Amino acid sequence: MASSSENANPELRKDAVWNRWVIFSPARAKRPSDFKSKSPTDPNTNQQCPFCIGHEHECAPEIFRVPPRDPNWKIRVIQNLYPALSRTLPEPQHAPSGSLQTGFGFHDVVIETPVHPVHLSDLPPTEIGRVFVAYTERIQQLASHKSIQYVQVFKNHGASAGASMSHSHSQMMALPIIPPSVSARLASMKDHFDQTGKCFICKIQREDLLIDSSTNFFSLVPFAATFPFEIWIVPRYHSAHFHELDAEKAVELGGLLKLMLRKMSLQLNNPPFNYMIHTSPLHSNGSELAYTHWFIQIVPQLIGIAGFELGTGCYINPVFPEDAAKVLREVKVPE
């Protein structure tokens, strides 16, 4: 059966969250159902590494583990051995001004499982929920530093997605600035709120873009998806800060993330991927909380970016979001 966009003309769609344009050019791709990763993630073999249980002494210092003080830990949060920022520099006393400041900040690693061959998507929802709770606990610790403005949680899965270790892990970077893409997102969402009186993310759900849902969360392909088969997981309830997620909702979120990762792996040939948690600055004021809304963005690495994207800030997506959502909805995940 032909895809609904097989004979469609190209479209430009405005991404209202980041205030940028995306070109949808279906002529540049096969049918959406045929889209596969050309470089699937290497299988996680039974090798041992510094992240494996019993090798804790080979890692950078530990921040905390779950359960606490338990040699049979489930999750460890450690310092990054090769940090992009330095926690040993003096903490800035004031908001940055000008174009230069010291590289103070925190760069941590969350080891999601003690066992090397186990991927995040292999874990039950309760264990994925524990990973989310570990994120929230560490963010709350980092929020005690007045100079830390934003914490980015992200996961690189597979070498071509930026992972230097195959053992399942994610990372957190705590920054003394608000990054440009976050500022752009906040400004765009404020504009929408000023014009409509409503949070844009609260109204983002559309049946033709929906993949799946649970009581408190839903997953969809966004209307102006930057990348083919990009997935967002969004809270149904309005919430500005990811770190306010409670343990019960974390398990529910873990179940939906697991389902999305398995659907993506089955349909797209186990692609390398990244996920990012888009949240609000730590010290947001009251007015910002009304229009900011956290969500998780999952990006399978299926195409590269090149000169056009780097030069313009516009992206070309060969798969219409409605088609990607339909394909992912129809993927049957074995029990």
Side-chain angles (χ1 to χ4, degrees), residues 222-244:
F223 170 75
T226 305
F227 305 98
F229 291 92
E230 175 183 341
I231 300 168
W232 290 9
I233 301 179
V234 182
R236 293 183 184 279
Y237 57 96
H238 184 77
S239 176
H241 286 113
F242 169 79
H243 66 265
E244 294 175 350

Side-chain angles (χ1 to χ4, degrees), residues 5 58 63 65 107 112 116 129 143 180 206 278 299 322 329:
S5 66
E58 299 176 28
I63 299 164
R65 66 175 61 186
H107 189 172
E112 300 157 347
H116 195 95
R206 259 178 47 173
H278 298 290
V299 178
E322 294 82 356
R329 267 197 309 273

